[in-house]
């Protein structure tokens, strides 16, 4: 299923209690990130005091949703040593945290005994799962949604197991 940013924003806005995101790739090839990634490689970093320069409209959406009491948590399973892309992602994660997301990192070797779905996913209110399907190069291909209780339980259990072991962003040093 193809998905627009506005339809994804609507899905997040529909959450009443929680929105959990599990990321398991070491690199993503998101077209909108090319410029920022290149700038980062050349030494550019985001200024914590210049909120206007941060990732919009995503961070505005995070603030909107968390302000209404929705708990947004993101867990990232990463190989170590981390990839260049993960170093880039880590460098600006403070903006997600400032907007209201809780974020943790789990070294992949600590996830070996966990049962995990085959794709990254979002889980909304422990009932609707959106799987994000990427190709081998990290390019987004499409999304699959599921609202079957067994799939939601699997994803919820997987996320909780990762979250329990993962390291809070402010303590994860790369």
């Amino acid at each position: 299923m193809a998905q627009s940013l506005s339809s994804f924003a609507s899905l997040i806005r529909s959450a009443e209690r929680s929105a959990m995101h599990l990321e398991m790739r070491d690199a993503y090839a998101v077209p909108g990130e090319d410029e920022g990634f290149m700038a980062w490689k050349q030494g550019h970093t985001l200024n914590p005091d210049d909120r206007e320069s941060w990732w919009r409209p995503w961070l505005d959406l995070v603030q909107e949703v968390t302000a209404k009491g929705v708990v947004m948590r993101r867990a990232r399973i990463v190989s170590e040593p981390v990839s260049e892309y993960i170093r880039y992602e880590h460098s600006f994660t403070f903006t997600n945290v400032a907007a209201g997301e809780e974020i943790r990192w789990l070294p992949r070797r600590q996830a070996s005994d966990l049962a995990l779905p085959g794709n990254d996913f979002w889980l909304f209110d422990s009932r609707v799962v959106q799987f994000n399907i990427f190709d081998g190069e990290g390019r987004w291909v499409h999304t699959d949604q599921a609202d079957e209780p067994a799939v939601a339980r699997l994803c919820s259990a997987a996320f909780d197991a990762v979250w329990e072991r993962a390291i809070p962003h402010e303590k994860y040093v790369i």
Side-chain angles (χ1 to χ4, degrees):
M1 165 171 86
Q3 184 176 49
S4 69
L5 183 57
S6 64
S7 66
F8 184 66
S10 294
L11 186 57
I12 289 180
R13 285 185 178 108
S14 73
E16 296 175 358
R17 296 177 313 284
S18 64
M20 299 183 290
H21 188 192
L22 182 61
E23 296 178 356
M24 298 182 282
R25 298 186 57 87
D26 286 320
Y28 294 88
V30 180
E33 288 185 342
D34 291 344
E35 187 177 316
F37 190 38
M38 289 309 210
W40 174 82
K41 285 180 177 184
Q42 295 172 356
H44 175 75
T45 58
L46 293 178
N47 179 347
D49 297 323
D50 184 11
R51 291 177 82 100
E52 293 305 312
S53 69
W54 298 356
W55 187 21
R56 303 283 190 236
W58 173 251
L59 296 174
D60 296 327
L61 179 61
V62 170
Q63 286 182 302
E64 173 189 333
V65 171
T66 58
K68 72 176 191 175
V70 174
V71 175
M72 288 188 75
R73 295 187 297 164
R74 180 186 307 249
R76 293 176 171 143
I77 299 174
V78 296
S79 299
E80 290 182 325
V82 298
S83 68
E84 185 175 43
Y85 181 87
I86 292 300
R87 286 197 319 273
Y88 162 67
E89 198 172 51
H90 187 271
S91 76
F92 65 78
T93 294
F94 74 90
T95 66
N96 297 67
V97 173
E101 274 190 89
E102 298 174 40
I103 298 180
R104 293 187 181 180
W105 304 80
L106 182 65
R108 190 171 310 282
R109 70 182 183 284
Q110 294 178 23
S112 296
D113 62 342
L114 299 179
L116 301 169
N119 294 290
D120 290 9
F121 66 84
W122 279 90
L123 176 61
F124 301 98
D125 294 330
S126 297
R127 61 178 181 74
V128 176
V129 180
Q130 176 173 295
F131 292 102
N132 293 318
I133 313 303
F134 295 90
D135 69 13
E137 299 300 320
R139 293 178 296 247
W140 178 83
V141 177
H142 68 273
T143 59
D144 292 331
Q145 283 189 8
D147 59 5
E148 295 87 2
V151 175
R153 282 192 303 273
L154 169 76
C155 291
S156 182
F159 185 90
D160 288 344
V162 169
W163 190 258
E164 183 177 308
R165 292 182 184 184
I167 302 162
H169 174 67
E170 54 279 357
K171 294 182 180 177
Y172 185 66
V173 180
I174 58 173

